Amino acid sequence: MKIKTKLNAGVGLLFFMIIVLSTLGGWFIYQLKKDTQNILVANYNTLQYSRNMLLSLEEISTEPFAVSEFQKNLNLQRQNITESGEQEVTQNIDDHFSELIVDKGNLKLHSAIRKDIAELMQLNMNAIQIKSGIANTTAENAIAVISIVGTLCFLVAFILMVNLPANISNPIRELTSSIHQIANQNYRQRVQFESSSEFGELARSFNTMAEKLQEYSESRIDKILKGKKRIETLIDNMHDAVIGIDEDRKVLFVNDEALKISGLKKENFVGKLIQDVAVSNDLVRDLIREIVNPDATKNSTAALKIFVEGKENYFEKEILDINVIPTGEKESRFIGQVIMLRNITPFKELDLAKTHFMGTVSHEFKTPISSIQMGLQLLENERIGHLNEEQGKLVSGIKDDTQRLLRITGELLNMTQLESGVVQLNIKPSSVQNMIEDVIAANKSAAENKEIVIKTNITSDISVVNADSEKTSWVLNNILSNAIRYSHEKSVIEINVAKLDNDQVKFSVTDNGRGIEEQYLNKVFTRYFRIPGTKTEGTGLGLSISKEFIEAQGGTIAVESEIGVGSTFYFILKSDSTKD
């Protein structure tokens, strides 16, 4: 049966039962009304007429109108004869009343009329009693019939209420559950109910769809497996080590390069929790340090030095999170990570060769540059000979170029020493005041040429700092010389030294120059970087070397700047640990 037919049948049956109950109730009410009306019209009126005749009979001897009143009620009674024997009694009353009109004082006639009226009243009273019994029987029958029919209607309505919604909701619930199973890729799910209704057609269509999905899924498995094999072959033949883990940190795949580097066998790696593998393997422990402890990212960008087959190799680690957006959803879901080790040994070797080359060239340049400086000093000595104005300008230009070459050579030499790790730090308690005075003295001439005032502010509780005095003075000198170079004429540069709460000392140099654009603030400490549009000369190495010197001492260096206001370069070092 169709769902629409079921609904029409159920609602129609309820409607029909309402009509039946209404009809029965109306019919029985009409019967009760009819019985009651019959009593009122047929018998109650006769009793009323009889009473009026008795009252008129008592006054017939004294009141002239009593005769007419009696005659009036008698005539009404003649028209209201409904019961058996009522005709004869009414005729007797009429006969006796006719005789009484002739002989009003005849007491026997009075008595006879009273008896006739009493008999008439008795007939109607008996009729009223009989008709009351009939009305009671009608009421009892109405109650019984309506109760039975009402009970039947209630049972039918209850059955419909229980079964009809269930017949509609249960297939929907089962179909919804099956759809969820299909959504979870359980294509073997089938809807089991059979029906000729719309649900039956829907179930058959659903089962057909599930069968086709199952067939399609099974037909695609072979292609998926082939694709998986291709990917595994590609990963295994990569020159970079690759390790894949799922969201529960279980190892899904590992290529041959990763096995060679780690020294593990595939059966001891794949399918295991990577933290369990790390317990017995130092390399894996280093690789997953960021995964297990997300805060341990301090050296995540540093190259890993690993000995592979007796040779020192360098690897760059990269951890990629895999997030996918499931079909039908909007939020991405984390499903695992891929750990990659990129072999950068050739680049390291080239970089080392470059460092050695730069160190050799820088060192070799120093001797001829020193000879040139010595020759310039001799040319400037008037005892050798007097130079004319044009020759003096040439010598001055050569001297400036020589100093610039010497500065560049020194910076390159410092850089190569830092890269090769041969820089020796002599960290000890150093006088802050002496370092500041030396730096100011070294830049006094440049400041006076631009009429720049250098102010110092050293907190009274700071006398020494735990640092390499020579390297720290070099850094401070580089920052101050840059501040003078980029400051306006007749401006002020402030050198501040303050002690921080965490037992550290902060050196800062503040100028009132043009400032640095925000997009360049994180690049000023990069090698060879120069701010676009800068007209002053430089190599772009000074701040990079400064950063290396400060970080080698365990400190930090940074810059704060605002366009049109100026810049503040500062670095933080530990205070003297031996000082109370």
Side-chain angles (χ1 to χ4, degrees), residues 341-360:
L341 286 178
R342 204 167 282 113
N343 193 338
I344 59 172
T345 304
F347 302 102
K348 271 287 184 180
E349 292 173 349
L350 289 173
D351 189 60
L352 184 60
K354 178 264 298 179
T355 300
H356 290 323
F357 174 75
M358 288 176 59
T360 302

Side-chain angles (χ1 to χ4, degrees), residues 47 249 280:
L47 292 175
R249 298 178 183 170
S280 58

Side-chain angles (χ1 to χ4, degrees), residues 33-44:
K33 178 184 176 183
K34 183 178 177 182
D35 292 343
T36 305
Q37 190 69 27
N38 189 26
I39 293 173
L40 290 175
V41 173
N43 305 112
Y44 178 78

Side-chain angles (χ1 to χ4, degrees), residues 491-555:
S491 59
V492 177
I493 295 176
E494 295 183 1
I495 301 177
N496 297 302
V497 183
K499 192 169 186 179
L500 304 181
D501 294 336
N502 50 359
D503 197 29
Q504 291 179 324
V505 177
K506 179 179 180 181
F507 293 78
S508 62
V509 177
T510 303
D511 62 58
N512 297 311
R514 64 183 293 271
I516 304 172
E517 288 85 347
E518 185 178 355
Q519 65 266 30
Y520 302 131
L521 289 178
N522 59 344
K523 299 180 180 179
V524 294
F525 296 102
T526 305
R527 296 180 191 177
Y528 310 113
F529 177 78
R530 298 184 69 233
I531 298 173
T534 302
K535 296 181 180 179
T536 56
E537 297 180 355
T539 60
L541 288 173
L543 289 176
S544 175
I545 296 172
S546 298
K547 182 174 183 291
E548 297 285 351
F549 280 161
I550 295 301
E551 290 183 351
Q553 299 179 68

Side-chain angles (χ1 to χ4, degrees), residues 10-40:
V11 174
L13 183 58
L14 290 175
F15 184 71
F16 174 74
M17 291 188 296
I18 292 172
I19 293 176
V20 170
L21 280 174
S22 300
T23 303
L24 286 174
W27 187 81
F28 278 111
I29 290 172
Y30 172 77
Q31 291 298 321
L32 287 172
K33 178 184 176 183
K34 183 178 177 182
D35 292 343
T36 305
Q37 190 69 27
N38 189 26
I39 293 173
L40 290 175

